[in-house]
Amino acid sequence: MDHRRSALEWCLQPGVKLDFRHCRMDVATAKDVENELKRIGHTLSPLEIVWSIPRRGQYGRQIT
């Protein structure tokens, strides 16, 4: 199934926001995700929507 035929219920699920601004790399690793989930005290559920805040800001500028 492609994005044009996604079930509507997939888009209307609870979500969680993960903050990766502290990461030194431009890509969050699986360990980074585990650590962030532990930090906020959250366990992912099936179909849960995940938002992430990357280290880089708008247009790829480094956030300081």
Side-chain angles (χ1 to χ4, degrees):
M1 180 181 297
D2 65 33
H3 70 279
R4 293 169 292 180
R5 295 179 174 254
S6 296
L8 183 57
E9 62 267 14
W10 292 2
C11 302
L12 301 172
Q13 296 295 323
V16 62
K17 180 171 57 173
L18 304 180
D19 186 351
F20 297 112
R21 289 179 289 185
H22 63 280
C23 294
R24 295 201 178 270
M25 303 296 289
D26 290 337
V27 176
T29 65
K31 189 67 175 171
D32 292 329
V33 173
E34 290 174 13
N35 289 341
E36 181 64 8
L37 288 169
K38 184 185 291 185
R39 185 187 73 79
I40 65 174
H42 186 76
T43 302
L44 291 177
S45 301
L47 296 178
E48 188 166 20
I49 298 168
V50 177
W51 290 275
S52 66
I53 301 173
R55 181 166 172 80
R56 296 200 176 265
Q58 186 177 18
Y59 307 115
R61 289 193 305 263
Q62 188 78 15
I63 297 173
T64 56

